[in-house]
Coordinates of all heavy atoms in Angstrom, one line a residue:
Chain A
P322 N 93.5 58.9 65.8 CA 93.9 59.7 64.7 C 95.1 59.1 63.9 O 96.1 58.5 64.6 CB 94.3 61.0 65.2 CG 93.5 61.1 66.5 CD 93.3 59.6 66.9
V323 N 95.1 59.2 62.6 CA 96.2 58.6 61.8 C 97.6 59.2 62.3 O 98.5 58.5 62.3 CB 96.0 59.0 60.3 CG1 97.1 58.6 59.4 CG2 94.7 58.3 59.8
Y324 N 97.5 60.5 62.5 CA 98.9 61.1 62.7 C 99.5 60.7 64.0 O 100.7 60.6 64.2 CB 98.8 62.6 62.8 CG 98.3 63.2 64.0 CD1 99.1 63.8 64.9 CD2 96.9 63.3 64.2 CE1 98.7 64.4 66.1 CE2 96.4 63.9 65.4 CZ 97.4 64.4 66.2 OH 96.8 64.9 67.5
R350 N 106.8 62.5 51.8 CA 106.0 61.9 50.7 C 106.2 60.4 50.6 O 105.1 59.6 50.4 CB 106.4 62.5 49.5 CG 105.9 64.1 49.4 CD 106.5 64.7 48.1 NE 106.1 66.1 48.0 CZ 106.7 67.1 48.6 NH1 107.6 66.9 49.5 NH2 106.3 68.4 48.4
A358 N 98.8 57.2 53.5 CA 98.3 58.3 54.2 C 98.6 59.6 53.5 O 99.2 59.5 52.4 CB 99.0 58.5 55.7
N359 N 98.2 60.7 54.0 CA 98.4 62.0 53.3 C 99.6 62.6 53.7 O 100.0 62.6 54.9 CB 97.2 62.9 53.5 CG 97.2 64.1 52.6 OD1 98.0 65.0 52.8 ND2 96.5 64.1 51.6
L361 N 100.5 65.5 54.2 CA 100.3 66.5 55.3 C 100.2 65.9 56.7 O 100.6 66.3 57.7 CB 98.9 67.2 55.1 CG 99.0 68.6 54.6 CD1 99.8 69.5 55.6 CD2 99.8 68.5 53.2
T362 N 99.4 64.7 56.7 CA 99.3 64.0 58.0 C 100.6 63.5 58.4 O 100.9 63.5 59.7 CB 98.3 62.7 57.7 OG1 97.1 63.2 57.2 CG2 98.0 62.0 59.0
K365 N 102.5 66.2 60.0 CA 102.0 66.5 61.4 C 102.6 65.6 62.4 O 102.8 66.0 63.5 CB 100.4 66.5 61.3 CG 99.9 66.9 62.6 CD 98.4 67.1 62.5 CE 97.7 67.7 63.7 NZ 96.2 67.8 63.6
R380 N 116.4 71.4 56.2 CA 115.4 71.7 55.2 C 116.0 71.5 53.8 O 117.0 71.7 53.5 CB 115.2 73.3 55.3 CG 113.9 73.5 56.0 CD 113.3 74.9 55.6 NE 112.0 74.9 55.2 CZ 111.2 75.9 54.7 NH1 112.0 76.9 54.3 NH2 110.0 75.8 54.5
G381 N 115.1 70.9 53.1 CA 115.5 70.6 51.6 C 116.2 69.3 51.5 O 116.5 68.8 50.4
V382 N 116.6 68.7 52.7 CA 117.4 67.4 52.7 C 116.5 66.4 53.2 O 116.2 65.3 52.6 CB 118.6 67.6 53.4 CG1 119.4 66.3 53.3 CG2 119.4 68.7 52.9
Chain C
dA392 P 91.4 71.1 68.9 OP1 92.1 71.0 70.2 OP2 91.8 72.2 68.0 O5' 91.3 69.7 68.1 C5' 90.4 68.7 68.6 C4' 90.4 67.5 67.6 O4' 89.5 68.0 66.6 C3' 91.7 67.2 66.9 O3' 91.8 65.8 66.9 C2' 91.7 67.9 65.7 C1' 90.3 68.0 65.3 N9 89.8 69.1 64.6 C8 90.1 70.4 64.7 N7 89.5 71.2 64.0 C5 88.8 70.4 63.1 C6 87.9 70.7 61.9 N6 87.8 71.9 61.5 N1 87.4 69.6 61.3 C2 87.6 68.4 61.9 N3 88.3 68.0 62.9 C4 89.0 69.1 63.4
dG393 P 93.1 65.2 66.4 OP1 93.4 63.9 67.2 OP2 94.2 66.3 66.3 O5' 92.8 64.8 64.9 C5' 91.8 64.0 64.7 C4' 91.5 63.8 63.2 O4' 91.0 65.0 62.7 C3' 92.8 63.5 62.3 O3' 92.6 62.3 61.6 C2' 92.9 64.7 61.4 C1' 91.5 65.3 61.4 N9 91.5 66.8 61.3 C8 92.2 67.7 62.0 N7 92.0 68.9 61.6 C5 91.1 68.8 60.6 C6 90.5 69.7 59.7 O6 90.6 71.0 59.8 N1 89.6 69.2 58.8 C2 89.4 67.8 58.6 N2 88.6 67.6 57.7 N3 89.9 66.9 59.3 C4 90.7 67.4 60.3
dT394 P 93.7 61.8 60.7 OP1 93.4 60.2 60.5 OP2 94.9 62.3 61.2 O5' 93.3 62.4 59.3 C5' 92.0 62.3 58.7 C4' 91.9 63.1 57.5 O4' 91.9 64.4 57.9 C3' 92.9 63.0 56.5 O3' 92.5 62.2 55.3 C2' 93.4 64.4 56.2 C1' 92.3 65.2 56.7 N1 92.6 66.6 57.2 C2 92.1 67.7 56.5 O2 91.4 67.6 55.6 N3 92.7 68.8 57.0 C4 93.6 69.1 58.1 O4 93.8 70.2 58.4 C5 94.0 67.9 58.7 C7 95.0 67.9 59.9 C6 93.5 66.8 58.2
dG395 P 93.6 61.7 54.3 OP1 93.0 60.5 53.6 OP2 94.9 61.8 54.8 O5' 93.4 62.9 53.2 C5' 92.2 63.3 52.7 C4' 92.3 64.7 52.0 O4' 92.5 65.8 52.8 C3' 93.4 64.7 51.0 O3' 92.9 64.8 49.7 C2' 94.2 65.9 51.3 C1' 93.2 66.7 52.2 N9 94.0 67.6 53.2 C8 94.6 67.1 54.1 N7 95.1 68.1 54.9 C5 94.7 69.2 54.3 C6 94.8 70.6 54.6 O6 95.5 71.0 55.6 N1 94.2 71.5 53.8 C2 93.5 71.1 52.7 N2 92.9 71.9 51.9 N3 93.3 69.7 52.3 C4 93.9 68.9 53.2
dA396 P 93.9 64.5 48.4 OP1 93.0 63.8 47.4 OP2 95.2 64.1 48.8 O5' 94.0 65.9 47.7 C5' 92.9 66.8 47.3 C4' 93.3 68.2 46.8 O4' 93.7 68.9 47.9 C3' 94.4 68.1 45.9 O3' 94.2 68.9 44.8 C2' 95.6 68.6 46.7 C1' 95.0 69.5 47.7 N9 95.7 69.7 49.0 C8 96.2 68.7 49.7 N7 96.8 69.1 50.9 C5 96.6 70.4 50.8 C6 97.0 71.4 51.7 N6 97.7 71.2 52.8 N1 96.7 72.7 51.4 C2 96.1 73.0 50.3 N3 95.7 72.1 49.3 C4 95.9 70.9 49.7
dT397 P 95.2 69.2 43.5 OP1 94.4 69.4 42.3 OP2 96.2 68.0 43.5 O5' 96.0 70.4 43.9 C5' 95.2 71.7 44.2 C4' 96.1 72.8 44.7 O4' 96.6 72.4 46.1 C3' 97.4 73.0 44.0 O3' 97.3 74.2 43.2 C2' 98.6 72.9 44.9 C1' 97.9 73.1 46.3 N1 98.6 72.5 47.4 C2 99.0 73.1 48.4 O2 98.8 74.3 48.5 N3 99.7 72.5 49.4 C4 99.9 71.1 49.3 O4 100.5 70.5 50.3 C5 99.5 70.3 48.3 C7 99.8 68.9 48.2 C6 98.8 71.0 47.3
dG398 P 98.6 74.7 42.1 OP1 98.0 75.4 41.1 OP2 99.3 73.4 41.8 O5' 99.5 75.5 43.0 C5' 99.0 76.4 43.9 C4' 100.0 77.0 45.0 O4' 100.3 76.0 45.8 C3' 101.4 77.3 44.3 O3' 101.9 78.6 44.8 C2' 102.4 76.3 44.8 C1' 101.7 75.9 46.1 N9 102.0 74.6 46.6 C8 101.8 73.3 46.0 N7 102.3 72.3 46.7 C5 102.8 72.9 47.9 C6 103.3 72.3 49.0 O6 103.6 71.2 49.3 N1 103.7 73.3 50.1 C2 103.5 74.6 49.8 N2 103.9 75.4 50.8 N3 103.0 75.3 48.8 C4 102.6 74.3 47.9
dC399 P 103.1 79.3 44.1 OP1 102.7 80.7 43.8 OP2 103.7 78.4 43.0 O5' 104.1 79.4 45.4 C5' 103.7 80.0 46.6 C4' 104.6 79.7 47.7 O4' 104.6 78.2 48.0 C3' 106.1 80.0 47.4 O3' 106.7 80.9 48.4 C2' 106.9 78.7 47.2 C1' 105.9 77.9 48.2 N1 106.1 76.4 47.8 C2 106.5 75.6 48.8 O2 107.0 76.0 49.9 N3 106.6 74.1 48.5 C4 106.2 73.8 47.3 N4 106.2 72.4 47.1 C5 105.6 74.7 46.3 C6 105.6 76.0 46.6
dA400 P 108.1 81.5 48.2 OP1 108.1 82.9 48.9 OP2 108.6 81.4 46.8 O5' 109.1 80.5 49.0 C5' 108.8 80.5 50.5 C4' 109.9 79.5 51.1 O4' 109.7 78.2 50.7 C3' 111.4 79.8 50.5 O3' 112.3 79.7 51.7 C2' 111.6 78.8 49.6 C1' 110.8 77.6 50.1 N9 110.5 76.6 49.1 C8 109.8 76.8 48.0 N7 109.5 75.8 47.2 C5 110.0 74.7 48.1 C6 110.1 73.3 47.8 N6 109.5 72.7 46.8 N1 110.7 72.6 48.8 C2 111.2 73.3 50.0 N3 111.1 74.5 50.2 C4 110.6 75.3 49.2
dG401 P 113.8 80.2 51.6 OP1 114.1 80.9 52.8 OP2 114.0 80.8 50.2 O5' 114.5 78.8 51.7 C5' 114.6 78.2 52.9 C4' 115.2 76.8 52.7 O4' 114.5 76.0 51.6 C3' 116.7 76.8 52.1 O3' 117.5 75.8 53.0 C2' 116.6 76.2 50.8 C1' 115.3 75.3 50.9 N9 114.6 75.2 49.6 C8 113.9 76.1 48.9 N7 113.5 75.6 47.8 C5 113.7 74.2 47.8 C6 113.4 73.3 46.9 O6 112.7 73.4 45.9 N1 113.9 72.0 47.3 C2 114.6 71.8 48.4 N2 115.0 70.5 48.7 N3 114.9 72.8 49.3 C4 114.5 73.9 48.9
dT402 P 119.1 76.0 52.9 OP1 119.6 75.8 54.2 OP2 119.5 77.2 52.1 O5' 119.4 74.7 52.0 C5' 119.1 73.5 52.6 C4' 119.4 72.4 51.5 O4' 118.5 72.5 50.5 C3' 120.8 72.4 50.9 O3' 121.4 71.2 51.2 C2' 120.5 72.6 49.4 C1' 119.1 72.0 49.3 N1 118.3 72.6 48.1 C2 117.9 71.8 47.1 O2 118.1 70.6 47.2 N3 117.1 72.4 46.1 C4 116.9 73.6 46.0 O4 116.1 74.1 45.1 C5 117.3 74.5 47.0 C7 117.1 76.0 47.1 C6 118.1 74.0 48.0
dA403 P 122.9 71.1 51.0 OP1 123.6 70.4 52.2 OP2 123.5 72.4 50.4 O5' 123.1 70.0 49.6 C5' 122.4 68.8 49.9 C4' 122.3 68.1 48.6 O4' 121.4 68.9 47.8 C3' 123.5 68.0 47.8 O3' 123.7 66.6 47.4 C2' 123.4 68.9 46.6 C1' 121.9 69.0 46.5 N9 121.3 70.1 45.8 C8 121.6 71.4 46.3 N7 120.9 72.4 45.5 C5 120.4 71.6 44.6 C6 119.5 72.0 43.5 N6 119.1 73.2 43.3 N1 118.9 70.9 42.7 C2 119.2 69.7 43.0 N3 120.1 69.3 44.0 C4 120.5 70.3 44.8

Side-chain angles (χ1 to χ4, degrees):
Chain A
V323 174
Y324 80 99
R350 291 171 178 81
N359 191 281
L361 257 297
T362 307
K365 186 170 185 179
R380 257 206 135 193
V382 182

